[in-house]
Amino acid sequence: MNIKTRKGFDINLAGKAALQLGAAEQSETFAIKPTDFVGMHRPKVVVREGDVVKAGTPLFFDKQLEKALYTSPVSGEVVEVKRGDKRKLLEIKILADKQIEYENFTKYSVSDMANLKGEDVKESLLKSGAWINIIQRPYGIVANPDETPRAIFISAFDSNPLAPDYDFLYKNEGQYFQAGIDALKKMVDVPIHLTTNGNAEVSAIFQNVRNVEQHTISGPHPAGNVGVQIHHIDPINRGEVVWTIAPYGVIQMGKLFLDGRYDASKKIAVVGSEVTTPQYYETYIGAKVGKFLKNNLKQDHVRVISGNILTGTAIEKDSYIGFYDNIVTVLPEGDRPRFFLSDGWLAPTSRLSFHRALGLLSFLNPKKERVIDTSLNGEERAFVETGVMEQVVPMDILPLQLVKSIMAEDYDGMESLGIYEVIEEDVALCEFVDVSKHRIQNIVRQGIQLLREG
Amino acid sequence: MKFLHDILEKQKPMFEKGGKLEKFYYLFEAGESFAFTPPTTTPAKGAHIRDAIDLKRMMMTVVIAMVPALLFGIWNVGYQHFLATGNPDAALLDIIMVGTIQVLPIVIVAYTAGGIVEVIFGIIRKHPINEGFLVTGLLIPLVMPPDIPLWQVALATVFAVVIAKEAFGGTGMNILNVALTARAFLYFAYPTDISGTVWTYLGEGGAKNAVDGYTGATALSIAAEAPVGTSVDTALQSATSGWAGAESLFSFNNMLIGVIPGSIGETSALMALLGAIILIVAGVASWKIMVSGVVGALVMGLIFNLAGSTPFMQMMPHYHLIMGGFAFGIVFMATDPVSAAQTETGKWVYGFFIGLLTVLIRVFNPAYPEGIMLAILLMNVFAPLIDFYVIQANKNRRLKRIHV
């Protein structure tokens, strides 16, 4: 299927990563944070401080989903099990070995893959930690292995601001990607939809993949969001479950079967206007970002974000990258008052805006790469403006009405207005353009939470 | 500007919890956030950058779009005054002076009265003072006749803000357009002060200053009263034939430009059009409502042409667009995003019916020849129903997809 979308908005930020691998010292510690897994019920830790682990050794599991293990990305010593209020598990830190050792999982040759059994695939994925790459919709949570999805969706590009180039990230990993797809197909015999960018050249590794249904989508962000693709290819209805996996997860599954190990190595992009040399680095899941930022920042008053600027999480400069994230973005903090006549709400400005209201001139130069700070640019107000959110959601969904139904805790309304089809990232642009400065993503998650509990 | 910010910051503790003037926190906050965009940053999770727009800027865009109508209104009030009092060749400066002296107090009274109500509610309800009043405070004067007593402006504004807005929970929650409620209040509470000869400011002493042949009527009332057997055109031409200097007062061009008696900001379709261009280019008001409103009026006008038995019914449909407050109403009132239909499809229906009803009410209402105000208020009430059906259609589409 060739999908074309018109709605959306490309945010062109300064600080794109150059297509090169930076040479930075590897970080000494790595951490897995249960908070990265949205909707995790209650993590149960299975290691203690001082334990020695290998890459693929279980660290904890979710009491509501005991089969899926969350494992260590590297080998080394568990140096801290950090807890917060009410003993809430915050992170498990591992001091990494110089040479990574791996837990052994069954290894298959390319020809063996044909004899792979679905049950074995599932067991390996669950035990190794590769399973948690599978996200289920509705809800956007780690998939339940006891359910069979209607289909699997993979978005083969990222349209978010400053998104990494998948071609660069996954160069030479085509055979693993194929093996991952084959394994998934063995496990659940459902259509696997792979959607590539219709506006750009398709990466080699996605071009000739077998066992998938190929689609293209062209349009502004959020065309790369898997939720948008699902909506156009085969939308989710009440009572249905589909799975989504990022290409990284599929490749990791491929490595699990072809190499017999849980390989958490990944390339990450360090980007943003405040980064001196925005480029890629090779590391592992859960890396401490400090090493990549050391001597690499233009100034100190910055916000470091694990993930992209639309959906990411602010972290400390020496904190750890989120489990699913492959970029670290650094922006200037915007915590300064702006006088209304010089650069405030009445003054003409070239700061980025989707709108063209009085003095908002950025539309004159849409291609310009911009430096944007984290200012809220206003205050929270009642919903007054209508019709704007609709312009950035390329789905047959009424975002404002959906948000209002969530705020009113109207369960029927939420369901029938399409809450099963969206997660935070799909409404991130709504949050960006909202004149009334509401936390739309947070509201949508609250709605999802209500439905999960209800 | 840092020193100014520092001064404000120094006063802040007085208004914060435990401070001497704690009650007035939101008044202080309104002042401070007016001068300085607050240094608030985005939360740690979610979108870390936000659009440069805020509600203040959006509302100011609407205010700017109304400025042509206001300026023209000021000039026109002065011009109509001199025309009616037998001095059509008055100097521009004199015209503007008279207009300003008459119009400015109305604007100031509306802003002050409404502002006080906003502040009181902000303090009682402990919520920030809303920018929406920047717009309402200017809309109200623009739909008032120039001769309106100031106490009525104040009363109408207070009534509208309290009953039409705050009673429903404040900005964003109101069902009816606030400015139109103010006008409707006066229309029903003080009908004698908002009809008849109020459309021209005649100065101290009123009607006795008027020249021979002066008529206090508006184009719409002349059209409504055109005797059967003639045409509206003839009626408009002959209405002021005995009025020296204003023989063709109600010509097409005059009505288009707005050099006719009427509410302060409403007479000029051209200025409304200019405002519409600003609003549409800025993306602040819905062009769908404006376009469908015009279509609705033309359609109803055409239907009357076909079935018409009176001259008003037979009037060319496009005359409806330049007479009375139609242009102003459809551009500035119907597009109020809170009281209008909120779904994009709904906006087409909503605007269309406003246009249609305006013409219908104009032609059939024997008491009052203007219809746009009642049409918009009526459709305000129906907007949630329109949205309901649009939303229902969306829900049904979703239901239909279910695989069986």
Side-chain angles (χ1 to χ4, degrees):
Chain A
M1 192 186 280
N2 296 321
I3 307 153
K4 282 195 172 66
T5 60
R6 281 182 300 116
K7 295 175 172 182
F9 189 52
D10 283 323
I11 297 175
N12 213 354
L13 288 184
K16 283 196 177 62
L19 294 181
Q20 62 190 33
L21 274 179
E25 239 177 282
Q26 195 52 262
S27 88
E28 282 127 18
T29 53
F30 292 80
I32 296 296
K33 298 173 280 186
T35 44
D36 287 343
F37 308 100
V38 186
M40 174 168 274
H41 180 62
R42 190 185 291 165
K44 168 88 179 143
V45 186
V46 296
V47 289
R48 275 181 303 190
E49 283 173 16
D51 282 4
V52 173
V53 294
K54 292 179 181 172
T57 309
L59 298 177
F60 62 91
F61 60 85
D62 182 357
K63 277 191 170 171
Q64 223 169 32
L65 203 70
E66 296 190 0
K67 288 178 188 164
L69 300 178
Y70 295 71
T71 58
S72 176
V74 292
S75 62
E77 185 193 340
V78 178
V79 284
E80 190 184 354
V81 178
K82 190 173 168 186
R83 293 181 184 271
D85 291 346
K86 295 183 182 172
R87 292 187 48 74
K88 184 185 176 193
L89 182 62
L90 296 180
E91 58 192 29
I92 297 180
K93 265 187 230 174
I94 293 132
L95 180 65
D97 295 335
K98 288 270 176 286
Q99 189 70 38
I100 305 292
E101 286 177 43
Y102 296 90
E103 292 280 358
N104 283 324
F105 296 97
T106 319
K107 188 173 166 179
Y108 300 84
S109 68
V110 177
S111 52
D112 286 347
M113 290 292 289
N115 305 322
L116 206 58
K117 288 204 171 56
E119 272 312 301
D120 296 339
V121 173
K122 189 180 275 186
E123 204 194 318
S124 291
L125 291 179
L126 287 166
K127 256 174 59 185
S128 65
W131 177 270
I132 49 186
N133 286 298
I134 306 176
I135 301 294
Q136 76 153 69
R137 297 247 186 158
Y139 309 143
I141 54 176
V142 170
N144 181 350
D146 295 333
E147 284 180 356
T148 306
R150 208 193 60 221
I152 297 174
F153 292 86
I154 300 163
S155 173
F157 72 108
D158 188 345
S159 58
N160 276 294
L162 297 174
D165 180 351
Y166 279 10
D167 204 16
F168 186 77
L169 284 187
Y170 307 128
K171 204 186 271 176
N172 305 328
E173 310 216 87
Q175 57 156 342
Y176 292 122
F177 188 76
Q178 183 64 61
I181 294 282
D182 294 342
L184 282 167
K185 195 80 184 171
K186 287 275 176 192
M187 182 170 69
V188 282
D189 190 18
V190 296
I192 300 178
H193 301 278
L194 179 75
T195 309
T196 49
N197 188 355
N199 286 339
E201 207 177 316
V202 178
S203 310
I205 78 157
F206 302 121
Q207 224 162 24
N208 302 312
V209 181
R210 296 177 310 276
N211 272 337
V212 297
E213 290 180 27
Q214 293 264 10
H215 308 276
T216 63
I217 186 165
S218 42
H221 180 66
N225 279 9
V226 72
V228 173
Q229 298 164 5
I230 298 171
H231 180 86
H232 288 280
I233 294 166
D234 193 3
I236 310 164
N237 303 297
R238 191 185 166 176
E240 295 174 339
V241 171
V242 304
W243 288 351
T244 70
I245 311 172
Y248 175 79
V250 180
I251 290 167
Q252 206 184 30
M253 291 171 188
K255 287 176 177 170
L256 178 68
F257 294 104
L258 292 185
D259 297 347
R261 61 192 192 190
Y262 175 68
D263 185 345
S265 64
K266 61 155 60 170
K267 286 192 193 111
I268 63 162
V270 176
V271 297
S273 61
E274 304 315 292
V275 176
T276 319
T277 322
Q279 58 184 352
Y280 294 82
Y281 296 93
E282 236 168 331
T283 184
Y284 297 88
I285 287 174
K288 195 173 190 172
V289 298
K291 292 271 197 261
F292 311 117
L293 300 178
K294 199 175 163 192
N295 302 327
N296 198 12
L297 292 181
K298 290 179 186 166
Q299 55 142 327
D300 254 0
H301 196 49
V302 292
R303 180 179 297 192
V304 180
I305 300 156
S306 172
N308 66 62
I309 51 105
L310 284 177
T311 58
T313 309
I315 57 172
E316 299 293 321
K317 282 187 201 113
D318 58 351
S319 187
Y320 301 90
I321 189 170
F323 182 87
Y324 297 104
D325 295 331
N326 49 20
I327 71 168
V328 174
T329 318
V330 187
L331 296 179
E333 278 287 6
D335 54 350
R336 64 182 180 88
R338 292 192 167 101
F339 186 59
F340 78 116
L341 288 177
S342 59
D343 55 356
W345 61 273
L346 205 52
T349 178
S350 62
R351 275 179 292 144
L352 182 68
S353 180
F354 179 72
H355 302 261
R356 291 182 308 263
L358 176 67
L360 296 173
L361 305 174
S362 64
F363 72 96
L364 296 172
N365 197 354
K367 291 255 155 73
K368 189 183 167 197
E369 289 187 351
R370 287 166 200 285
V371 176
I372 303 179
D373 64 28
T374 62
S375 171
L376 197 57
N377 289 326
E379 301 131 282
E380 188 172 318
R381 290 289 185 261
F383 284 117
V384 171
E385 178 74 312
T386 64
V388 180
M389 292 186 192
E390 284 80 355
Q391 294 174 42
V392 292
V393 176
M395 308 191 211
D396 185 20
I397 277 181
L398 301 167
L400 184 65
Q401 279 69 26
L402 174 61
V403 166
K404 285 185 175 176
S405 72
I406 297 169
M407 292 169 101
E409 300 200 1
D410 166 12
Y411 286 77
D412 289 344
M414 287 186 243
E415 286 190 342
S416 46
L417 284 164
I419 196 164
Y420 293 130
E421 296 193 55
V422 293
I423 61 169
E424 288 94 327
E425 61 176 18
D426 300 312
V427 294
L429 275 174
C430 294
E431 187 165 296
F432 174 76
V433 300
D434 181 20
V435 176
S436 308
K437 312 289 175 188
H438 285 258
R439 295 185 64 186
I440 307 290
Q441 299 187 62
N442 199 32
I443 295 170
V444 163
R445 178 48 63 183
Q446 282 169 4
I448 291 173
Q449 210 52 38
L450 282 176
L451 284 178
R452 284 187 71 197
E453 287 162 6
Chain B
M1 283 305 146
K2 196 173 174 315
F3 74 97
L4 190 59
H5 189 252
D6 290 345
I7 294 173
L8 279 168
E9 281 299 296
K10 242 183 221 156
Q11 314 305 319
K12 205 171 189 172
M14 209 157 47
F15 294 93
E16 280 170 339
K17 225 173 166 59
K20 233 184 342 192
L21 300 172
E22 179 190 336
K23 275 196 181 131
F24 297 99
Y25 175 75
Y26 284 106
L27 186 61
F28 173 79
E29 196 252 17
E32 190 183 26
S33 64
F34 184 89
F36 292 95
T37 307
T40 330
T41 53
T42 52
K45 178 101 188 91
H48 295 270
I49 60 169
R50 296 294 178 90
D51 198 294
I53 199 169
D54 68 342
L55 210 55
K56 285 192 182 68
R57 199 182 277 271
M58 197 184 113
M59 292 300 174
M60 274 312 283
T61 313
V62 186
V63 171
I64 299 286
M66 283 191 283
V67 166
L70 173 69
L71 293 181
F72 183 85
I74 288 174
W75 174 83
N76 190 43
V77 166
Y79 180 74
Q80 294 300 326
H81 167 78
F82 284 113
L83 196 62
T85 51
N87 188 10
D89 300 322
L92 180 67
L93 207 63
D94 292 340
I95 292 175
I96 292 174
M97 277 300 282
V98 170
T100 309
I101 291 170
Q102 198 55 23
V103 173
L104 207 57
I106 301 179
V107 176
I108 293 170
V109 165
Y111 267 121
T112 315
I116 291 172
V117 178
E118 286 278 328
V119 169
I120 292 173
F121 272 91
I123 289 170
I124 296 175
R125 287 222 183 107
K126 299 195 177 15
H127 68 65
I129 290 149
N130 247 301
E131 290 82 5
F133 198 73
L134 287 174
V135 172
T136 320
L138 190 53
L139 272 175
I140 291 176
L142 291 184
V143 295
M144 293 290 159
D147 224 10
I148 192 88
L150 291 178
W151 64 270
Q152 286 190 11
V153 177
L155 194 63
T157 308
V158 171
F159 176 86
V161 175
V162 173
I163 300 297
K165 190 163 85 176
E166 298 299 344
F168 288 94
T171 300
M173 318 282 183
N174 48 307
I175 293 172
L176 300 178
N177 182 303
V178 183
L180 274 182
T181 308
R183 164 96 172 242
F185 170 77
L186 291 182
Y187 168 46
F188 290 111
Y190 302 97
T192 50
D193 289 315
I194 201 160
S195 57
T197 55
V198 298
W199 307 109
T200 308
Y201 166 60
L202 292 168
E204 290 292 318
K208 66 176 185 289
N209 298 337
V211 293
D212 283 350
Y214 164 75
T215 164
T218 60
L220 278 174
S221 59
I222 294 164
E225 284 157 15
V228 178
T230 60
S231 76
V232 168
D233 258 345
T234 329
L236 284 173
Q237 270 168 36
S238 55
T240 56
S241 55
W243 178 358
E247 288 82 0
S248 56
L249 184 63
F250 294 112
S251 69
F252 181 87
N253 281 348
N254 275 3
M255 291 196 291
L256 176 71
I257 299 166
V259 198
I260 49 171
S263 293
I264 294 167
E266 276 188 352
T267 59
S268 176
L270 211 58
M271 294 302 135
L273 185 67
L274 197 60
I277 292 170
I278 295 175
L279 291 177
I280 291 170
V281 169
V284 166
S286 168
W287 60 271
K288 292 174 186 166
I289 293 177
M290 297 186 209
V291 169
S292 60
V294 169
V295 172
L298 293 177
V299 165
M300 197 65 225
L302 279 172
I303 293 173
F304 276 137
N305 278 184
L306 294 176
S309 51
T310 67
F312 201 4
M313 290 167 94
Q314 285 157 354
M315 186 177 77
M316 300 279 273
H318 64 274
Y319 268 60
H320 279 294
L321 308 182
I322 56 167
M323 290 166 89
F326 178 82
F328 186 86
I330 205 77
V331 171
F332 293 108
M333 302 287 198
T335 55
D336 163 24
V338 175
S339 58
Q342 306 199 347
T343 53
E344 294 305 290
T345 318
K347 284 173 183 168
W348 288 112
V349 179
Y350 173 80
F352 182 80
F353 276 101
I354 287 177
L356 194 112
L357 285 170
T358 302
V359 174
L360 194 72
I361 296 170
R362 275 181 177 181
V363 171
F364 283 149
N365 183 354
Y368 199 62
E370 178 57 295
I372 182 84
M373 170 183 79
L374 294 176
I376 294 175
L377 285 175
L378 187 63
M379 290 314 293
N380 281 170
V381 175
F382 278 99
L385 188 68
I386 298 171
D387 282 339
F388 173 82
Y389 283 110
V390 175
I391 294 168
Q392 209 54 43
N394 179 283
K395 289 176 175 174
N396 289 342
R397 271 199 300 281
R398 207 172 301 285
L399 277 176
K400 262 193 210 148
R401 302 185 314 212
I402 292 181
H403 304 255
V404 185

